[in-house]
Amino acid sequence: GIQVEQSPPDLILQEGANSTLRCNFSDSVNNLQWFHQNPWGQLINLFYIPSGTKQNGRLSATTVATERYSLLYISSSQTTDSGVYFCAPGGWDYKLSFGAGTTVTVRA
Amino acid sequence: EAQVTQNPRYLITVTGKKLTVTCSQNMNHEYMSWYRQDPGLGLRQIYYSMNVEVTDKGDVPEGYKVSRKEKRNFPLILESPSPNQTSLYFCASSITLNEQFFGPGTRLTVL
């Protein structure tokens, strides 16, 4: 399957700070999704973004498929942004491969 | 309310005792999938289904079975559970493989 590397593994932010999470993947993809797992374990889809840029409130994401990476931007972070962020690229085999995640802690 | 439900949410069992974890979605999604989550490994796909009666292996299918007899249901079957199947399991669904909706998770402990 596709190898996925997310960085940094851990991130501690002061409330109001901005940050960028990176996802590198090993193969060409036709699918890429970002998820947030909150401290209670619930997984929420943030973006379906196989290429280009999308924005949703304080979050935005960019995927450059030709260079095999995706970025997730968090602006004006809030304590509710805490949790684990997963990147999951997929190819033509209808599977998703998840990275190990970036654990974000936002302090008030 | 659009949702993916899983049952049970928590289960403690013993080695070799067959069990089934149910998954149901009410969004008329064609694609359904099972994942397991283990510390430091992210989520790994067990099985997926593109539609009724169509299932295929993910990255870690050993020791698991699935069936898709109806569009809304996608049960995960462990015929002879072993301790290395202790994990947090998630079911997900989507229209194709675009925006995946996840269930709440099932925490399984095999003694």
Side-chain angles (χ1 to χ4, degrees), chain A residues 28-30 90-95:
Chain A
S28 59
V29 300
N30 66 342
W92 298 99
D93 57 0
Y94 299 101
K95 298 180 187 177

Side-chain angles (χ1 to χ4, degrees), chain B residues 43-78:
Chain B
L43 280 79
R44 293 178 292 169
Q45 194 168 33
I46 303 171
Y47 269 95
Y48 65 95
S49 170
M50 294 297 295
N51 213 326
V52 175
E53 301 293 0
V54 180
T55 63
D56 211 341
K57 296 177 180 179
D59 293 322
V60 288
E62 295 79 19
Y64 304 94
K65 285 175 61 175
V66 292
S67 69
R68 188 91 181 274
K69 293 183 170 51
E70 306 167 278
K71 198 172 190 178
R72 62 184 293 126
N73 296 323
F74 191 44
L76 179 70
I77 302 155
L78 284 72

Side-chain angles (χ1 to χ4, degrees), chain A residues 1 31 33 35 37 40-45 48 86 90-91 93-101, chain B residues 31 35 37 40-45 48 50 57-59 88 90 97-104:
Chain A
N31 190 335
Q33 300 182 42
F35 299 89
Q37 187 170 37
W40 296 270
Q42 185 181 14
L43 277 159
I44 303 295
N45 189 293
Y48 167 68
F86 291 105
D93 57 0
Y94 299 101
K95 298 180 187 177
L96 286 182
S97 296
F98 281 72
Chain B
Y31 186 96
Y35 299 87
Q37 183 176 21
L41 295 178
L43 280 79
R44 293 178 292 169
Q45 194 168 33
Y48 65 95
M50 294 297 295
K57 296 177 180 179
D59 293 322
L88 178 58
F90 286 98
L97 185 50
N98 50 8
E99 183 184 354
Q100 292 242 287
F101 289 85
F102 278 83

